[in-house]
């Protein structure tokens, strides 16, 4: 995009071209911290769960020594995925030929390898990746030498604490899996502006002031934050609750974090590329222990409604971009600053 005006969007081809996705895998997803699951999925030593960091299958373990570790979830024998789902078995056994790994990644047993004179199990450990956590959220970076997660999070934990969110008390309540016929960036970009809210989200616009000037967009080096003042009588939210405001965060590259006013609550959405023109999503909802089921359900229903309204938008954008007939669009800096920020980061990563 050399020479393109700063308000130009990324080229439309970047949303439909498998070669661009291949570059994103290498330059973005193979080296970024990504949310993969929850600490409650590892309730005791010996537990594990399988997940994906972008295109990289990973397995997160809690060893018998109680240490959190993560590995590329690919068998060193011939590449079958080693672990599936989650559980507590003390070892990981590949279902193909039963190579068995310790939860610290070491190959413990490879049937018939005793007949191979030069077979050294120490050379065939699972490949380690970086792992860390923030409250109940577990993150993995496929790059084992990655800088600490805290560097990517930056001031984000402080900003959530400032809104009244206590990561220490949040407990998982519900997972929702979803998919969209859209490039992962289309999904993120739609999340990053509320220019469309007045038109597309009548329910949200009734309770949040989405007007120009009222709605706040703040870009940080690795994340961004949106805040919309609540309108008076903003049901379904309890504006006198522990969390004082609605705040929507995006964290590089593909995690969004939603905080609604009222009881202790937080939800995270993961936007996983599934080919250039599709994405798979996972949303986990967390609430404080004293949040009544009815209040939790109201927050979940409200967010699901907004998500359903967005689905048609992003899928239509994908069809438009994939037509190849319009080379790029034009961003409004005042209302789409965070989209521009995201696109700048993608452009820099791929440069
Ligand atoms: S591929 Fe895992 S044991 Fe053969
Ligand atoms: Fe939306």
């Amino acid at each position: 995009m050399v020479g393109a005006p700063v308000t130009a969007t990324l080229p439309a081809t970047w949303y439909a071209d498998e070669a661009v996705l291949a570059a994103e895998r290498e330059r973005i997803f193979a080296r970024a911290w990504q949310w993969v699951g929850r600490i409650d999925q590892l309730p005791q030593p010996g537990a594990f769960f399988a997940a994906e960091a972008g295109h990289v299958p990973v397995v997160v373990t809690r060893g018998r020594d109680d240490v959190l570790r993560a590995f590329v979830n690919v068998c060193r024998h011939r590449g079958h995925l080693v672990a599936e789902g989650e559980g507590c078995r003390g070892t990981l056994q590949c279902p193909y030929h039963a190579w068995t790994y310790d939860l610290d990644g070491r190959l413990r047993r490879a049937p018939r390898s005793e007949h191979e004179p030069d077979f050294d199990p120490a050379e065939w450990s699972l490949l380690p990746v970086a792992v860390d956590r923030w409250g109940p959220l577990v993150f993995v970076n496929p790059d084992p030498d990655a800088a600490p997660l805290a560097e990517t999070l930056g001031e984000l934990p402080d900003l959530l604490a400032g809104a009244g969110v206590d990561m220490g008390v949040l407990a998982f309540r519900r997972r929702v899996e979803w998919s969209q016929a859209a490039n992962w960036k289309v999904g993120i970009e739609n999340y990053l502006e509320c220019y469309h809210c007045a038109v597309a989200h009548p329910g949200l616009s009734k309770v949040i002031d989405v007007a120009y000037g009222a709605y706040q967009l703040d870009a940080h080096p690795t994340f961004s934050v949106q805040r919309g003042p609540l309108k008076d009588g903003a049901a379904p939210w309890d504006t006198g609750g522990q969390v004082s405001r609605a705040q929507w965060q995006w964290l590089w590259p593909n995690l969004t974090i939603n905080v609604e006013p009222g009881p202790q609550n937080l939800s995270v959405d993961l936007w996983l590329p599934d080919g250039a023109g599709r994405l798979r999503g996972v949303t986990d909802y967390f609430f404080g222990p004293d949040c009544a089921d009815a209040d939790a359900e109201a927050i979940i229903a409200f967010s699901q409604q907004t998500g359903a309204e967005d689905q048609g938008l992003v899928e239509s954008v994908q069809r438009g971009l994939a037509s190849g007939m319009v080379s790029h669009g034009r961003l409004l800096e005042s209302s789409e600053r965070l989209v521009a920020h995201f696109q700048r980061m993608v452009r820099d990563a791929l440069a």
Side-chain angles (χ1 to χ4, degrees):
M1 287 298 287
V2 176
V6 289
T7 50
T9 62
L10 296 178
T13 51
W14 287 25
Y15 297 83
D17 184 347
E18 296 292 340
V20 173
L21 178 60
E24 289 170 344
R25 286 177 168 161
E26 184 191 327
R27 307 280 184 82
I28 298 175
F29 293 99
R31 51 179 76 166
W33 282 102
Q34 290 153 83
W35 174 70
V36 289
R38 310 179 310 270
I39 201 69
D40 67 81
Q41 292 175 277
L42 303 167
Q44 66 219 45
F48 71 92
F49 68 81
E52 286 155 285
H55 59 294
V56 181
V58 295
V59 56
V60 183
T61 67
R62 181 168 161 190
R64 278 170 287 201
D65 55 2
D66 215 23
V67 173
L68 190 64
R69 295 183 181 86
F71 305 94
V72 175
N73 185 21
V74 175
C75 185
R76 296 296 308 282
H77 176 218
R78 275 174 44 215
H80 199 286
L81 300 190
V82 178
E84 204 193 316
E86 59 188 67
C88 187
R89 265 202 310 250
T91 56
L92 301 172
Q93 186 176 67
C94 178
Y96 200 176
H97 313 91
W99 282 30
T100 304
Y101 301 87
D102 267 315
L103 294 184
D104 63 5
R106 271 184 296 196
L107 179 63
R108 181 177 170 144
R109 203 177 95 79
R112 305 190 199 177
S113 60
E114 64 277 17
H115 305 296
E116 305 287 316
D118 57 353
F119 187 89
D120 180 2
E123 291 173 10
W124 301 103
S125 301
L126 293 175
L127 300 177
V129 299
V131 64
D132 205 346
R133 61 181 282 206
W134 168 32
L137 308 176
V138 176
F139 289 77
V140 152
N141 188 323
D143 176 1
D145 302 317
L149 172 65
E151 271 183 34
T152 291
L153 295 180
E155 294 166 74
L156 184 55
D158 290 345
L159 283 170
L160 285 186
V165 177
D166 181 352
M167 296 294 278
V169 304
L170 291 171
F172 171 69
R173 200 142 332 170
R174 169 100 54 89
R175 168 165 287 193
V176 178
E177 298 187 22
W178 41 282
S179 66
Q180 294 179 339
N183 181 272
W184 71 280
K185 301 188 294 298
V186 173
I188 298 281
E189 290 168 8
N190 176 68
Y191 184 95
L192 286 175
E193 47 93 356
C194 212
Y195 184 24
H196 71 277
C197 291
V199 183
H201 300 308
L204 180 79
S205 309
K206 211 158 41 180
V207 295
I208 298 275
D209 190 347
V210 298
Y212 176 77
Y215 194 84
Q216 245 182 284
L217 307 164
D218 295 311
H220 295 255
T222 54
F223 67 93
S224 59
V225 184
Q226 301 174 67
R227 294 185 192 91
L230 289 175
K231 292 182 173 171
D232 288 340
W237 289 319
D238 167 15
T239 52
Q242 297 146 313
V243 179
S244 56
R245 58 181 183 243
Q247 208 170 274
W248 295 283
Q249 290 71 205
W250 160 79
L251 178 67
W252 172 261
N254 63 336
L255 185 69
T256 53
I257 305 171
N258 318 293
V259 173
E260 321 293 356
Q264 283 295 337
N265 76 93
L266 178 130
S267 62
V268 289
D269 321 295
L270 184 67
W271 309 71
L272 278 170
D274 184 17
R278 280 201 77 78
L279 69 88
R280 279 183 298 122
V282 179
T283 301
D284 275 0
Y285 291 92
F286 299 82
F287 295 93
D290 53 355
C291 175
D293 282 346
D295 293 339
E297 288 308 321
I299 286 178
I300 292 172
F302 195 83
S303 100
Q304 291 289 309
Q305 172 63 29
T306 308
E309 290 161 356
D310 283 324
Q311 175 118 12
L313 302 176
V314 298
E315 295 188 348
S316 176
V317 168
Q318 184 65 29
R319 285 197 297 277
L321 295 173
S323 73
M325 298 307 288
V326 174
S327 66
H328 66 268
R330 204 276 190 202
L331 294 174
L332 305 193
E333 176 60 25
S334 53
S335 295
E336 295 169 306
R337 189 179 314 136
L338 302 186
V339 179
H341 172 243
F342 169 70
Q343 296 194 351
R344 222 160 18 239
M345 290 180 73
V346 171
R347 211 180 261 130
D348 289 350
L350 298 187

